[in-house]
Amino acid sequence: MSAIEDRVSAHYTTEDLMTRIRAGLMAAGANPAAPRPEDLKPVDEFHTGGVVATDALLDQLEISVDTLVLDIGAGLGGTARHIARTRGAHVTGVDLTEAFVEVAQTLSRMAGMAQRTAFRHSSALDLRFTADSFDLATMFHVGMNIADKARLMTEVHRVLEPGGIFALFDVMALEKDAAIAFPVPWAETEDLSFVATPGTYRDAARAAGFEAVRERERSQFALEYFSRLFRTIEAHGMPPLGLHLLMRDTATTKLANYVAAVEAGAIAPFEMIFRKAG
């Protein structure tokens, strides 16, 4: 891995994560030894909108039990398990953060999903699969940590079958030099944040050989989601199980800075779907 990738991985690595997840499950009234996949939803979908946003993207795709799916930046494996459980597909997840991969594997075993999911430690810029290995690649809130969007698109294009789909949900810049206060969920400091414009993604995808299928800006969805979340936290405090477990003691500041940048029109989450020709 590169020096930047090492720092990105360190940003997401937290101490005793599995222990804290088990404690959160118990406090939430779930079985900490054998949780249901839905019990893990508060913590295992580390992106804006959680599982609602996941389904909003997946509902635009054709996924069956025969679909081979690659989830890039799989985190704790929540999206992979959700696709496997609700669509029946087999999903392989890769993530730069080794601690996340280990927790993803453990949670899949605990939730009875180990037969339909697999997880590997890998960079999105060096996917360790042969060409034409997957029918679908998904990516949720990962590109903000990747400077080289061209190489990302080239690697995803390489591992997809002809006709394969790349569906992503990333935070993007609505202006070239978007003003963002740090820290934010994906970076403690500006030098680890690589938020790019939608045009940067489109150009990189086109150069790699993808054709655009559709895209959708989701700023209003994000603001409504965080408004509900903040009201809940204000009324009831932090939940026992939630994404704050992945953001250390700066979770509130990170989320507030992110929301402020969305409100200011500097950044917004976008869905984009591309197809490999063939």
Side-chain angles (χ1 to χ4, degrees):
M1 293 194 298
S2 70
I4 287 291
E5 287 178 324
D6 285 338
R7 291 181 61 203
V8 169
S9 178
H11 167 76
Y12 289 109
T13 300
T14 58
E15 297 297 326
D16 301 319
L17 181 55
M18 197 63 235
T19 299
R20 288 184 289 120
I21 289 174
R22 290 181 191 274
L25 286 166
M26 183 177 295
N31 184 342
R36 301 169 301 170
E38 54 267 36
D39 293 331
L40 300 170
K41 286 299 106 185
V43 73
D44 70 0
E45 299 259 11
F46 192 11
H47 53 262
T48 305
V51 70
V52 175
T54 303
D55 278 332
L57 184 62
L58 298 181
D59 287 347
Q60 302 174 62
L61 311 173
E62 294 183 8
I63 308 174
S64 73
V65 294
D66 298 320
T67 305
L68 297 178
V69 182
L70 175 66
D71 186 35
I72 299 166
L76 304 188
T79 297
R81 284 186 292 274
H82 186 68
I83 294 172
R85 183 172 66 91
T86 62
R87 272 72 174 177
H90 187 278
V91 187
T92 299
V94 297
D95 201 277
L96 189 65
T97 303
E98 192 165 8
F100 278 7
V101 174
E102 293 170 357
V103 171
Q105 292 169 335
T106 299
L107 293 179
S108 278
R109 287 195 299 271
M110 290 167 58
M113 297 294 297
Q115 297 302 312
R116 303 299 300 173
T117 59
F119 300 95
R120 295 188 186 183
H121 179 220
S122 175
S123 166
L125 301 181
D126 184 21
L127 296 169
R128 298 167 188 172
F129 303 100
T130 58
D132 306 341
S133 293
F134 298 95
D135 305 301
L136 168 66
T138 57
M139 189 177 81
F140 289 80
H141 283 27
V142 176
M144 303 96 74
N145 287 128
I146 298 175
D148 194 345
K149 304 294 193 292
R151 184 172 172 184
L152 167 67
M153 291 292 181
T154 298
E155 267 296 270
V156 178
H157 187 274
R158 181 183 65 80
V159 301
L160 283 174
E161 288 270 7
I165 295 293
F166 181 28
L168 63 91
F169 182 49
D170 263 359
V171 177
M172 302 186 191
L174 295 178
E175 48 194 44
K176 187 176 181 181
D177 297 312
I180 305 172
F182 290 88
V184 288
W186 61 91
E188 295 287 342
T189 54
E190 185 176 5
D191 61 330
L192 285 185
S193 178
F194 303 103
V195 174
T197 63
T200 300
Y201 281 78
R202 294 184 207 111
D203 291 346
R206 187 182 307 111
F210 282 112
E211 57 186 37
V213 176
R214 67 180 64 93
E215 69 178 63
R216 178 167 56 163
E217 191 243 273
R218 302 285 274 154
S219 58
Q220 190 59 38
F221 165 79
L223 293 175
E224 291 172 358
Y225 166 76
F226 283 115
S227 177
R228 291 192 300 271
L229 177 64
F230 291 155
R231 287 198 303 270
T232 300
I233 292 172
E234 185 176 357
H236 305 289
M238 283 291 190
L241 195 67
L243 297 182
H244 59 282
L245 297 182
L246 307 180
M247 291 186 279
R248 305 189 184 97
D249 57 358
T250 56
T252 301
T253 301
K254 287 173 177 174
L255 292 175
N257 287 341
Y258 171 30
V259 171
V262 175
E263 289 176 332
I267 61 175
F270 272 77
E271 297 170 343
M272 287 186 171
I273 300 173
F274 301 103
R275 178 183 290 110
K276 179 176 177 176

